Amino acid sequence: MGKLGRLDKLVLKGYKSIKSIEIEFGATNILIGANGVGKSNFIGFFNFMRKLIEKELELTVAQMGGANKVLHFGKKITQEIEISLLFTPNGYKAVLIPDEQDGFIFKKEIAYFFADMIEYSGGTKSYDLKNVGNKESKLPDRPHTASATGHIVGYINDWKVYHFHDTGKSSPMKQPSRVDDYYSLATDGHNIAAYLYFIRQKHEQTYNKIIKTIQRVAPFFHDFILEPDIANEEMIKLRWKHKGSDLYFDANDLSDGTIRFICLTTLLLQPNLPTMILIDEPELGLHPFALQILASLFRVASNKTQIIASTQSVTFADFFDIEDIVIVDTKDNATTFSRIDTDKYSEWIEEYTVGEMWQKNLIGGVPNYD
């Protein structure tokens, strides 16, 4: 993807398992690490930021169990959360402190414009939002291009963490959805039928790519049957046709891995990609060949958007470049993030793949007791 609007760096202090981190991002960022080291906390932070700009911070913190649960080891250990985001060419900084009701109030909120990043004159400009003591952000309600704050809202506005893990009979993906629920693919895939229906109607070439990609992993699959319900034309359900058969099937007839792959393929090939795609363990239930196709979809999508994904799969990690990998560990009861030092591990890189180095505990990212 282009540099404009990309998240280049994050400094985060005092959030859940994260005591203090500074991490730089590329177009594709694959988090590897053991269970419980903080990968999900980190990915969840991006939802936290989206709720912050939507002026739902107070509600979100309450749903998370209060400020004491959000602060690193609680209020007795950590007194504030510090957030610094560096985009191109903007920045955002906020400091949150707990109040007497176990919520958060703003201690500081500042936006920045870094003119030199895009070869403009004027240097760095800061915009203090004068947001002291308030429970919600003073960023604009809507994204716009007239100011640094408007750009920042635009960058963060559609950060979403996608979870297509629930594939049981009551799975949202297997239930009917409203035909007009097609603005964007839902994070749990509940509107997958309506969204595919919209893509077929308005973006036929993209729809055909989605179908062909699904067929590479599920050769029995012919096409979707995407029509509003006869009994209720406001609703639509995911149905499909088996290759070589006139019978119609619904989502309950798909394997768990297949329906997840359908959602992932639609997400990554959609015509209007969000500014960032965040996925927690996309490899669940997928065959190794499907993982290879999925990694290819990541590479294609990363030309237009930024991707952050966590994985437990050595096989999936093997399909990415060294530069894409972020190692997540714990040290002194805090989550740490690091990149692979290509100079330090040059001999290992020549001999082993990323997954093999991970599996052999040459680069970290495995269970340890510190």
Side-chain angles (χ1 to χ4, degrees), residues 165-326:
H165 298 174
D166 182 1
T167 54
K169 288 187 177 181
S170 60
S171 163
M173 296 174 278
K174 296 181 178 181
Q175 308 308 310
S177 65
R178 292 185 60 86
V179 173
D180 58 4
D181 185 8
Y182 58 77
Y183 180 76
S184 63
L185 181 62
T187 56
D188 61 359
H190 75 258
N191 65 339
I192 182 67
Y195 196 57
L196 282 167
Y197 181 59
F198 162 74
I199 293 175
R200 191 185 68 180
Q201 297 291 103
K202 300 296 183 180
H203 303 275
E204 185 178 359
Q205 188 174 359
T206 298
Y207 180 80
N208 290 335
K209 286 181 183 178
I210 291 171
I211 296 301
K212 289 178 181 178
T213 303
I214 294 169
Q215 288 172 341
R216 293 183 65 187
V217 171
F220 59 84
F221 174 82
H222 177 65
D223 199 353
F224 292 109
I225 309 300
L226 298 170
E227 299 295 340
D229 192 308
I230 296 175
N232 185 354
E233 293 188 353
E234 293 182 353
M235 306 299 289
I236 189 169
K237 189 175 182 179
L238 192 68
R239 296 186 302 154
W240 57 282
K241 186 177 179 182
H242 198 290
K243 193 173 184 180
S245 172
D246 292 330
L247 297 175
Y248 291 171
F249 299 88
D250 64 22
N252 286 303
D253 299 304
L254 293 167
S255 70
D256 292 353
T258 301
I259 195 165
R260 288 193 190 109
F261 188 77
I262 287 169
C263 289
L264 288 164
T265 301
T266 304
L267 171 65
L268 294 163
L269 289 179
Q270 64 181 296
N272 300 308
L273 286 161
T275 57
M276 183 185 287
I277 290 175
L278 299 116
I279 315 176
D280 200 2
E281 298 185 7
E283 74 275 6
L284 288 179
L286 298 186
H287 185 275
F289 179 71
L291 294 181
Q292 182 179 356
I293 303 298
L294 181 61
S296 298
L297 293 175
F298 271 43
R299 284 191 286 273
V300 171
S302 68
N303 290 317
K304 296 180 179 179
T305 188
Q306 203 165 11
I307 297 174
I308 299 176
S310 70
T311 183
Q312 299 275 3
S313 170
V314 170
T315 303
F316 191 52
D318 261 343
F319 294 121
F320 294 93
D321 296 330
I322 291 286
E323 295 78 12
D324 299 331
I325 302 298
V326 180

Side-chain angles (χ1 to χ4, degrees), residues 6 18 30 34 36 43 47 113 137 143 175 200 215 256 283 310 316 327 344 349 354:
R6 190 173 84 178
I18 299 168
I30 306 299
I43 287 183
N47 259 345
F113 173 66
S137 169
Q175 308 308 310
R200 191 185 68 180
Q215 288 172 341
D256 292 353
E283 74 275 6
S310 70
F316 191 52
I327 302 162
K344 181 179 178 181
I349 291 170
V354 171

